Amino acid sequence: MSKRIVGPEIERLIQLLAKVPGLGPRSARRAALHLIKKKEQLLGPLTVAMGDALDTVRVCSTCGNVDTSDPCTICTDPRRDEATIIVVEDVADLWALERAGAMNARYHVLGGTLSPLDGVGPDDLNIRSLVDRVARGGVNELILAVNATVEGQTTAHYITDQLDGLGVKITRLAHGVPVGGELDYLDEGTLSAALKARTVF
Amino acid sequence: MEWRDEGIIIGSRRHGETSLILEVMTRAHGRHMGIVRGGRSRRMQPVLQAGNRVDLVWRARLDEHMGQFQVEPIEQNAARLLASGAAIYALQTLAAHLRLLPERDPHGPLFETLAIIIAHLDDPRAAAELLVRFELLVLDELGFGLDLSCCAATGSLQELAYVSPKSGRAVSRAAGEPWRDRLLPLPAFLTAGPGLRGDERALDDAFRLTGFFFERHVYEPRGLEPPETRAGFLSALKRSWRDVPPSRPSELAS
């Protein structure tokens, strides 16, 4: 049996940090030690920030985004185009698109993709609320910004079927060569998709 | 433990931050799962999509372990199929049917048929005919095969027009006429060989036929729901008839 070198409180902190994506037991130990060393400047404020987040974070009842208010900041922003909704799989995708800052639109977060292997069906996703949102009117375009995977595209086709007859324009993201991508290193599928979706130069 | 085989990817799920659990239909080892280390990398993700044909090396310490796959692409079909709703639905339906089979149980004919269907998924009507034959084959492999070779009542080989919902055997038009309301229609293209193609009604009847026996022998006893993607494929097929008029009958390899 190995000897304990720290108290149970620190051990618990390390165990919890190790569950954070990107951290393993070793890096969690480093992070915990750093927090303990910077107790006043980092550990204290972090504890308060995490407590506040725990108390206030909620899921937006309109779009499924996470924020500290319901409806979320994006849904209540009057400068955003209400007639365009970007459908994303996850909040991380929403944040990625917001970092790009290419569209000033509203969002709808599905909460995953249809995945028979994981047992995720249409009822487990935020699809019903999307259909209701579009049916209420005022939406001209729905951009399906789901991943270019078979599961992502199955979800996109399923949503398109559900919205059939509601008179909304449905678009999807282009598939092709990424910025900085060298053709020699791209897979055949991406190359053929890029060639099919070529544009006039 | 180690083997090498050819496989067609039918599904995957995330495992940890960098790996994937891959589900493949292999030629000699049936439906098989395995971990792909680094499967969520940018280089590997396009390869590990459903529908792709891959060369697999499976390694594990013991046979009952899940084991690890080493994957090399042979034919990358997924990107070609992503844009077509019918193709994607058909692909997911094929995967759902294969999941009805026990793992690691070899089904060579299903692997061969799967490869042929994936090559034809671009054309919804050709895919529909092949999918219906695949469903008949799956029923057969599960032990609930239909006997469409001759009439159950008279032994006749001609004009087989119905299937008995009780026995799953074909019935000729003449013998089945008095009970036609209780029998399931048997489309001619299922018994006439590869030369005849099915029209909209024939395909509709064919899917109703296989759907009936799947429900009775598989879904109901196992407490399962039919895959939603099958209904999605049938809707996409209906749309294909509406959007593009039927083409000239042509030869189709079955």
Side-chain angles (χ1 to χ4, degrees):
Chain A
M1 197 177 149
S2 61
K3 276 193 235 168
R4 281 171 75 158
I5 53 168
V6 289
E9 294 82 5
I10 297 176
E11 198 60 56
R12 187 166 143 73
L13 177 66
I14 294 169
Q15 280 173 6
L16 288 172
L17 282 171
K19 291 183 181 178
V20 174
L23 295 186
R26 215 180 167 90
S27 42
R29 202 166 287 129
R30 282 183 62 206
L33 187 60
H34 185 73
L35 287 169
I36 292 162
K37 277 182 180 170
K38 305 253 178 190
K39 194 176 163 189
E40 302 303 325
Q41 304 96 309
L42 206 54
L43 186 57
L46 184 68
T47 310
V48 173
M50 288 174 92
D52 288 347
L54 178 68
D55 291 340
T56 54
V57 163
R58 62 204 67 199
V59 176
C60 175
S61 54
T62 308
C63 71
N65 185 18
V66 287
D67 204 344
T68 51
S69 58
D70 182 16
C72 69
T73 314
I74 290 177
C75 286
T76 50
D77 187 347
R79 291 165 300 176
R80 286 180 184 266
D81 180 9
E82 276 185 75
T84 307
I85 295 179
I86 304 176
V87 180
V88 292
E89 285 180 21
D90 199 64
V91 176
D93 301 329
L94 185 156
W95 288 357
L97 288 169
E98 278 298 293
R99 277 201 307 274
M103 291 278 290
N104 199 25
R106 304 263 161 116
Y107 289 90
H108 196 90
V109 183
L110 294 173
T113 50
L114 297 173
S115 172
L117 205 53
D118 287 322
V120 180
D123 295 338
D124 302 308
L125 302 178
N126 218 357
I127 295 176
R128 192 69 254 160
S129 61
L130 174 67
V131 177
D132 292 343
R133 205 173 158 188
V134 174
R136 279 198 295 273
V139 180
N140 295 333
E141 184 178 359
L142 198 79
I143 303 170
L144 295 169
V146 289
N147 290 338
T149 59
V150 170
E151 286 81 11
Q153 295 306 306
T154 306
T155 313
H157 287 295
Y158 181 81
I159 291 171
T160 311
D161 287 351
Q162 298 302 304
L163 297 172
D164 192 25
L166 291 179
V168 64
K169 179 184 169 190
I170 300 174
T171 54
R172 69 172 174 97
L173 297 185
H175 301 160
V177 183
V179 174
E182 293 178 36
L183 298 189
D184 193 23
Y185 291 97
L186 287 181
D187 65 287
E188 297 90 326
T190 306
L191 281 172
S192 66
L195 275 171
K196 269 187 198 163
R198 67 191 180 278
T199 52
V200 177
F201 191 58
Chain B
M1 296 281 141
E2 181 174 327
W3 52 252
R4 186 179 196 137
D5 199 356
E6 198 177 315
I8 294 171
I9 297 172
I10 58 170
S12 65
R13 71 163 181 251
R14 291 174 182 188
H15 181 70
E17 285 176 48
T18 56
S19 302
L20 274 181
I21 293 177
L22 199 67
E23 188 183 29
V24 284
M25 184 66 192
T26 61
R27 190 187 289 276
H29 297 85
R31 184 170 65 88
H32 211 291
M33 304 259 224
I35 295 172
V36 182
R37 300 268 175 227
R40 292 180 62 193
S41 69
R42 271 189 202 178
R43 191 181 68 84
M44 287 307 289
Q45 267 188 327
V47 177
L48 302 178
Q49 294 299 311
N52 286 347
R53 202 173 174 134
V54 289
D55 182 67
L56 297 157
V57 177
W58 180 82
R59 288 190 188 94
R61 194 168 63 79
L62 296 173
D63 197 34
E64 56 265 39
H65 286 177
M66 179 179 272
Q68 291 188 28
F69 277 136
Q70 192 182 316
V71 186
E72 288 292 333
I74 297 175
E75 194 177 21
Q76 289 181 258
N77 300 303
R80 175 172 58 87
L81 307 174
L82 288 185
S84 158
I88 285 283
Y89 283 138
L91 188 60
Q92 296 280 32
T93 307
L94 290 164
H97 288 336
L98 290 170
R99 284 188 194 111
L100 297 171
L101 301 165
E103 269 186 68
R104 304 186 179 194
D105 196 14
H107 295 277
L110 280 178
F111 174 82
E112 300 298 342
T113 317
L114 180 67
I116 294 168
I117 300 177
I118 286 175
H120 287 90
L121 280 183
D122 295 306
D123 175 0
R125 292 172 207 172
E129 288 188 27
L130 293 167
L131 179 57
V132 123
R133 289 177 199 277
F134 184 83
E135 290 189 338
L136 287 171
L137 198 56
V138 172
L139 280 171
D140 199 37
E141 296 280 323
L142 287 169
F144 306 110
L146 309 188
D147 180 1
L148 308 179
S149 58
C150 65
C151 174
T154 62
S156 166
L157 304 173
Q158 305 299 315
E159 276 226 80
L160 300 172
Y162 304 104
V163 174
S164 161
K166 252 186 179 173
S167 65
R169 295 185 64 188
V171 179
S172 67
R173 188 175 303 282
E177 206 50 38
W179 297 280
R180 58 182 296 181
D181 296 341
R182 284 192 251 165
L183 297 172
L184 296 160
L186 172 63
F189 80 91
L190 285 180
T191 52
L196 186 68
R197 291 195 75 166
D199 59 10
E200 185 176 2
R201 180 154 175 204
L203 284 170
D204 208 36
D205 286 343
F207 278 107
R208 198 170 326 129
L209 178 71
T210 50
F212 176 85
F213 287 101
F214 263 105
E215 184 65 45
R216 180 207 264 182
H217 293 307
V218 186
Y219 298 135
E220 211 177 284
R222 295 190 192 184
L224 299 173
E225 287 294 319
E228 295 241 10
T229 47
R230 189 177 187 267
F233 174 73
L234 296 181
S235 305
L237 183 65
K238 270 206 175 82
R239 277 198 299 275
S240 85
W241 290 108
R242 198 177 60 199
D243 299 341
V244 186
S247 57
R248 227 159 21 94
S250 64
E251 293 284 320
L252 176 72
S254 67

